[in-house]
Each structure stands twice: as structure tokens, then as C-alpha cells.
Amino acid sequence: MSQKVLLTSKEVNIILHRLACQLIENHLDFSNSVLIGLQPRGVSLAQRLKTILETEYHISNIPLGFLDITFFRDDFRRGEKQLEANITQIDFLVEDKKVVFIDDVLFTGRSIRAALTAIQSFGRPSEIELLVLIDRRFSRHLPIQPDYRGRQVDVIDNDKVKVCWIEKDGEDAVYLI
């Protein structure tokens, strides 16, 4: 299986800082905003963005949670592959908060639909935004678009986008497989 580099480590770093700046423009001090990384692949991106916001832009006390959408997916119990749940870790209410969903790749939009349903267990947000590192723009099954995108790519349905993080994979990079 051949791989094509979509983003190098340097490009990923530049994009992360740009996304952090865009978040600051729209949320200022984050006093009424929360970040929610979608399990499993949005967690690393959410953690990295929070770290950048805290260390480089000196914004403290940004609530960060992780949301598992496994049991809210419309393909749950439909395939041969048994889905495994991840941990939901949200120790705050989202009632009347601005919620930013964070995921690595936006593909069909079905994960985001599931996240919209799942978040209701934690309150009714005043607003929900979507931040993704990669937007596969011609693959949508649902009318869902990101508010913040790192890079927009045109990918054939059979191709996969693989996001690697230094903490888990030993490098920051994005590949087309």
C-alpha cells in the first residue's frame, strides 16, 4: 500500500497554531467555551490545541473533555466488526456553553451527527462549532461543514487519510493511503 504525504511535521505545526489563533478570535478568553475531543482520534488534536492555547497564548482554565460516540452511531450493530467503546470524560456541564467539537478527519459527517446527539447528555450548549484537521470535502453523506479546518483535501472514497501524532505514532504527519 503506497502512501503520499499530505502534511509534514512542520505543516502540521503551522496549521495547529493557525487553528489556535482562529479559536482565540472567536472565543477570546474561553470563559464561556469548552473543547470536546471526539474519541478516539480527536483526543490528540484537542490536547495539542489546548497546550498551544495555554503555553503560547497564556489562556488558562480551558475546559477540555473527551466524548465517545460509539453507541450513538447510526452504524452501531450493523457490520461484522464489533465496535469498541472509548471513555467519555466530561467533568463539566455544557449547558449554555459554546462547545467546540474537535476531530482529526471530517469524512461523511456521521460521527458529528452522533456527537450532536451524545452531547445532549451533558446539557444544552448555546452553540456548537466543529474544528477538524482534515476536511475531505467531497465525501459528505450529511450536510455538515467545519467551522475551522486545517486543510481541505479532495480524496477518492477508497483512499484513506491517516493522521499521525508524535505522542502515539512517533511523528506528526498526515498521509493519503
Side-chain angles (χ1 to χ4, degrees), residues 52-147:
I52 290 169
L53 290 167
E54 288 177 339
T55 60
E56 298 190 28
Y57 298 101
H58 310 292
I59 299 171
S60 58
N61 302 320
I62 303 170
L64 172 64
F66 309 120
L67 181 64
D68 178 57
I69 58 167
T70 303
F71 301 115
F72 297 92
R73 295 178 56 97
D74 60 5
D75 61 355
F76 181 66
R77 294 190 185 165
R78 285 186 161 224
E80 298 290 321
K81 182 182 171 188
Q82 186 173 0
L83 297 174
E84 278 188 40
N86 293 286
I87 294 172
T88 290
Q89 183 182 335
I90 299 176
D91 56 0
F92 47 85
L93 292 176
V94 300
E95 189 73 30
D96 295 324
K97 299 285 187 186
K98 293 179 182 178
V99 172
V100 181
F101 284 152
I102 299 174
D103 208 1
D104 64 345
V105 178
L106 176 57
F107 185 21
T108 64
R110 293 184 183 278
S111 293
I112 305 309
R113 192 223 40 91
L116 290 167
T117 302
I119 198 67
Q120 293 173 6
S121 301
F122 298 91
R124 184 175 185 258
S126 63
E127 185 178 320
I128 297 177
E129 296 178 330
L130 175 60
L131 180 149
V132 297
L133 183 63
I134 302 293
D135 176 11
R136 293 180 57 153
R137 70 178 175 158
F138 293 129
S139 306
R140 220 73 81 234
H141 294 177
L142 300 170
I144 292 174
Q145 299 299 323
D147 298 285

Side-chain angles (χ1 to χ4, degrees), residues 41 104-105 133-134 161-165 169 171 173-175:
R41 296 180 311 266
D104 64 345
V105 178
L133 183 63
I134 302 293
V161 175
K162 179 181 177 189
V163 177
C164 299
W165 297 107
D169 307 300
E171 68 173 336
V174 179
Y175 296 100

Side-chain angles (χ1 to χ4, degrees), residues 20-33:
C21 287
Q22 289 174 341
L23 286 171
I24 293 168
E25 287 175 9
N26 290 333
H27 297 270
L28 299 175
D29 63 358
F30 287 82
S31 60
N32 197 38
S33 303

